[in-house]
Amino acid sequence: MKTASIRGRSLMWVIWPAFLVAGVAELIFFSIFDPFDLHFFGAPLDWSRQAIYTLGFFGFWGLGIASSALSGPGDVDYDREPD
């Protein structure tokens, strides 16, 4: 049971900062670019604004998760007492 708790805590250390960064990144990106001006491989996106915002958020969140996972402490021993 303790392993699941440690794994969950480690996962939250990766996912939560990525979630916050995705929110900020989406605010900045879509305050500069209009969703209907975006093109995918030269073709305009025929989706609603909300769908483009959602896809953008999950894209930024995925990049944030990848960044946090690659730079986070992967082998930290959480059971060890602090020095």
Side-chain angles (χ1 to χ4, degrees), residues 3-80:
T3 305
S5 174
I6 293 170
R7 195 171 300 149
R9 190 177 336 157
S10 297
L11 189 62
M12 285 307 297
W13 279 17
V14 170
I15 291 176
W16 180 244
F19 180 83
L20 297 176
V21 168
V24 172
E26 183 179 22
L27 287 173
I28 293 171
F29 183 84
F30 286 116
S31 68
I32 297 171
F33 300 104
D34 183 27
F36 289 140
D37 291 339
L38 299 176
H39 290 73
F40 188 68
F41 290 114
L45 296 173
D46 293 331
W47 300 337
S48 68
R49 283 186 192 271
Q50 188 173 7
I52 295 171
Y53 289 142
T54 302
L55 186 66
F57 175 78
F58 283 117
F60 286 128
W61 196 11
L63 290 173
I65 288 172
S67 174
S68 293
L70 291 173
S71 63
D75 59 348
V76 174
D77 184 11
Y78 296 103
D79 291 332
R80 194 187 83 200

